[in-house]
Amino acid sequence: MHVRATRRYRRRKLVAVVACTLTLVAPGSNTATADPLDPFVPPVAPVDLAEPLAWANPVKVPGSEGVTPQVTRLALGDFNRPAAGVSAQSGTLSDVPLAEGYRRTRQTRTLTTTRASTGRFSAVGLTWRESGRVGAISIAVRHHVPGGAWSRWQTVSAGELDRDPVRAPEERAGDVQRGGSDLLWLGPSDGIQLSVTSVSGSVPHDITADLIDPTDAPLDSAPAATVTEAAPVGLTPFMPPINRRAAWGANEQQMNWRPQYANYVKAVAVHHTATSNNYSPADVPKILRSIYQYQTVSRGWGDIGYNVLVDRFGRLWEGRSGGLARPVVGAQAGGFNTGTAGIAMIGDFRSTSVPPAVVESAAKYIAWKLSLNQAIDPRGTVTLTGGGSTSRYPVGTTVTVPRVFPHRQTNPTECPGDKAMEVLPQMRNRAAGLLGDMVKPDIVRTLMATYRPADGTVWLQGIPQPVFTTGPNEIAVPADYNGDGKVDVATWSPTTGNWTMLLTGEGPRKVQWGLPGDVPAPADYDGDGKADLTVFRPANSTWYIKGLGELRLGSPGDQPVPGDYTGDGRAEAAIWRPSTGLWAIYALREFHFAEPGGIAVPADFDGDGDIEPATWSPTTQQFTIGGLPPVRLGDPGDTPLTRQFDGDGRADLAVFHDGRFEIRGVGSYDVGLPGDVAMPLG
C-alpha cells in the first residue's frame, strides 16, 4: 500500500480532520489549550483546522516588515495613446542608443518622456500588461545625479517571465503577472529620461516605469554575516555563509507566493542580474531590496525569483523564501524552475569579467546544494522536462543540459553574459573538487554516530574521542535544526524538557520545550527548512510545536511519526498505534497498515519526495513497506533505522545493536559500545 495525499486533500482537510478527531483524541474537553500553569509550554492559540500549519517561512507577523522601498510609478501609456507628458513618434531619437543587438526598422516606434525632477530613486524597471512575449523592445534610460549632471544613456531589453504559470487556485487572487524589462540599478537619482522603442513585432500596452528608492537602513552598512565551522560533525561540503533575507531587509508583508517544492535539486541555473557592476558593499542590500520590489510587486511574482545571489565581493545572499536547504521552486528559468536552483551574480557580465571571489562562492553554493540529496556530479548532464512560459521550448519538452547550466540554455536571453559563460567550466570543476567522493552513488553520505546514555557523550565514526557531551539518560533527537541541510546532533531530556543541540556551523545551543511524560517529535512543520521543537503529550493528546501552535491528535500509547507525507515541503503530525496497526495523518486521513506490535519507520523509500509508511517487527525482524514484499533484516533486540545512507536518493533499511550499524545493501559499521543509542547524522 503506497499512501500519497495529493493536493486535493489540502482542500478537504476540514472534513478529514473531523474523522481523525472523533476516533483519535483522548476523552476529555474538545477544546485544545495549554495548561495555564505550565511553566514550560505557554498557552498558544489552537491551529486553524482548515489549514493545520500556516506556511511560515518567513513568518508574516508584525515585526517582520523589514525595509519598505518607496516607489514612484510613471504611466507611459501605449504607443497609440501615450500618457500625459509622454511623446510618441515613428523612428527613434538620433542621440538615443538601442539595446545591444537591435537595429532600427521601418516598424520602429518610440515613446519618450523627461522628468527633470522626481523623488529620490536608485533603480528603474519598466513593466507592461502583456505577460507573454512581445516584439523586440529596447529601453534607454539616463538619470540625473543629485547636485550633479545627467548620466550617459544606459540600455536594457525586455526580460524573461521566469515565474511559471500560477496553478493553485488559492494563489491566483491578486496575482497579476506583467511583462517587463530587466531592472537597471542607477545609484542615487532625482530625475529621469526614458525612451521606449518597439523595434519590431507586437507592441506592449499599459507601459509603466517604477522608480524604486530602496531607502537607507542601518543594516546596509552592517557587516555581512559570517559562519565559522564548529566541530566537524557532518560530511563536507558544509553550507557556505549565506546572509538571510532579514540581512538585506526583505519586507515579508509584500510576499504572497507560498513556497513550492520539487523532489530534489537536479541542476543549478547560473544568472546575472544585468544590473550595474559599480557598487559598494553597502549598496548590495539596497540592490537586493530593489530587485525584490521589482520582481515581487512590479512584475507580480509574489517573491524574488532567484534562490541565492552573490555580489562582486563574493558574499552570498538568500533570495527566494522557503528554506535554503530545500528544493524550492523559484522564478529563475521560466519553464524549467522545478528541480533546479538559481544563483544570480549581481552585475552585468556581458563584457565585464567575473571576479574570482564570485566564482569561488558560486562554486561553494553549487557544491553544497548538489550534496543535499542524491549523488550529483556538477560536471555531468541531466535531462529536464519543462518548457512553456518564456522558455525556448513548448510545454512538455525534454532537454539535456549541464548540471550547472547558463540561463540562456533554456531561455532566449543573453543571461548570464558572455564573460560568465567563460567561467562556468571553472565553477563546475571547483564544485566537483569540493564534493569529492560524494559524487559517487555508492559513497555513504550519512555519518554514523551514537549517544551514550551512561555519560551523555556523543561518538562519531572514526573519531577516538567524543565530539559532544550533553546530559546522561536523554533521548536522541537528531534533525536539521538550523536549515543547512545537515542533520545536527541533539538530545532531549525527559526530566527537564531541555533540547541540547550541536548545530553545524554554529556550535552548541540549549532550549527548553516540553514536560516530563512528553514524547519529542521534531520535524519541519512550517516548511522553512528547519526542524521545529515539538513534543507530543499523551496525557491530553496534544502536540506543542514551538513558535507555531498546538494541535490534538493521538492518545496514550501512540507513537508520533511526523513527516512530509504529501511532498509539499511541510511535515504533517502523524501517529502510529502499535496496538491496532492504525496510522493517522493529521487533517489528511487514517488507515490501517502492517501488523500490530511493530515499530514505525516511515521514510521516502522511492525518492519521490514524500514519506511512505513502514514498520519493523521486533518478533520477525521484518520491514513492511507499502507496495513492497517484506524484507527481513536484523536480530531480536535490534533498533530499526531508515535513512538515505548512500547517494541514490532513496531511504535504506538498517538496524543497530551494541555499537554496530548494519545497512542493507551498503555495509556494516562499528561505532560506539554496547548500550549506546544510534544517532545517524543524515
Side-chain angles (χ1 to χ4, degrees), residues 484-510:
D484 66 353
K486 307 293 183 181
V487 175
D488 301 303
V489 170
T491 61
W492 182 78
S493 169
T495 57
T496 66
N498 283 331
W499 300 70
T500 305
M501 300 165 279
L502 177 62
L503 303 182
T504 304
E506 298 181 30
R509 181 175 299 175
K510 182 173 288 189

Side-chain angles (χ1 to χ4, degrees), residues 284 383 457 519 625 647:
V284 174
T383 57
T457 54
V519 181
I625 305 168

Side-chain angles (χ1 to χ4, degrees), residues 259-262 265 307 320-323 326-330 337 340-341 369:
Q260 299 164 302
Y261 299 92
V265 170
N307 298 100
R320 172 84 170 96
S321 66
R326 306 299 301 274
V328 181
V329 176
N337 287 314
T340 64
K369 194 68 177 177

Side-chain angles (χ1 to χ4, degrees), residues 159-160 162 181-183 245 248 257 269-275 287-288 291-292 294-295 299 301 303-310 317-321 324 328-333 337 340-347 365 407 413 415:
E160 294 293 301
D162 278 317
S181 67
D182 288 323
L183 184 73
R245 288 163 65 95
W248 52 265
W257 182 10
V270 178
H271 306 258
H272 70 169
T273 60
T275 51
I287 294 172
L288 291 169
I291 295 173
Y292 177 67
Y294 183 59
Q295 295 185 348
R299 301 277 323 254
W301 294 358
D303 197 358
I304 193 170
Y306 310 114
N307 298 100
V308 164
L309 300 94
V310 56
W317 303 82
E318 180 183 18
R320 172 84 170 96
S321 66
L324 283 164
V328 181
V329 176
Q332 37 81 25
N337 287 314
T340 64
I343 182 169
M345 302 174 290
I346 301 175
Y365 171 75
H407 186 198
T413 174
C415 180

Side-chain angles (χ1 to χ4, degrees), residues 461-492:
Q461 177 189 4
I463 297 181
Q465 63 277 340
V467 296
F468 190 59
T469 301
T470 179
N473 300 314
E474 298 191 346
I475 298 173
V477 285
D480 180 9
Y481 292 97
N482 62 353
D484 66 353
K486 307 293 183 181
V487 175
D488 301 303
V489 170
T491 61
W492 182 78

Side-chain angles (χ1 to χ4, degrees), residues 205-219:
H205 300 83
D206 183 24
I207 303 170
T208 63
D210 279 3
L211 313 184
I212 301 172
D213 174 17
T215 73
D216 295 321
L219 57 82

Side-chain angles (χ1 to χ4, degrees), residues 493-568:
S493 169
T495 57
T496 66
N498 283 331
W499 300 70
T500 305
M501 300 165 279
L502 177 62
L503 303 182
T504 304
E506 298 181 30
R509 181 175 299 175
K510 182 173 288 189
V511 180
Q512 202 288 324
W513 190 252
L515 293 173
D518 290 350
V519 181
D524 180 12
Y525 295 94
D526 60 2
D528 68 352
K530 304 175 186 178
D532 302 295
L533 305 187
T534 304
V535 293
F536 166 57
R537 187 162 299 164
N540 62 2
S541 306
T542 303
W543 297 55
Y544 297 97
I545 308 174
K546 186 172 177 62
L548 293 178
E550 63 185 64
L551 55 88
R552 286 173 63 84
L553 176 69
S555 61
D558 290 347
Q559 178 185 344
V561 285
D564 183 3
Y565 291 90
T566 65
D568 69 348

Side-chain angles (χ1 to χ4, degrees), residues 592-648:
H592 286 79
F593 169 70
E595 295 297 322
I599 300 171
V601 285
D604 181 8
F605 294 100
D606 55 11
D608 67 351
D610 59 26
I611 298 297
E612 289 81 46
T615 62
W616 182 80
S617 170
T619 303
T620 65
Q621 294 82 56
Q622 285 189 337
F623 283 90
T624 302
I625 305 168
L628 298 175
V631 176
R632 189 184 184 284
L633 180 65
D635 297 305
D638 284 358
T639 299
L641 305 168
T642 51
R643 299 286 192 281
Q644 182 191 265
F645 287 96
D646 57 18
D648 68 357

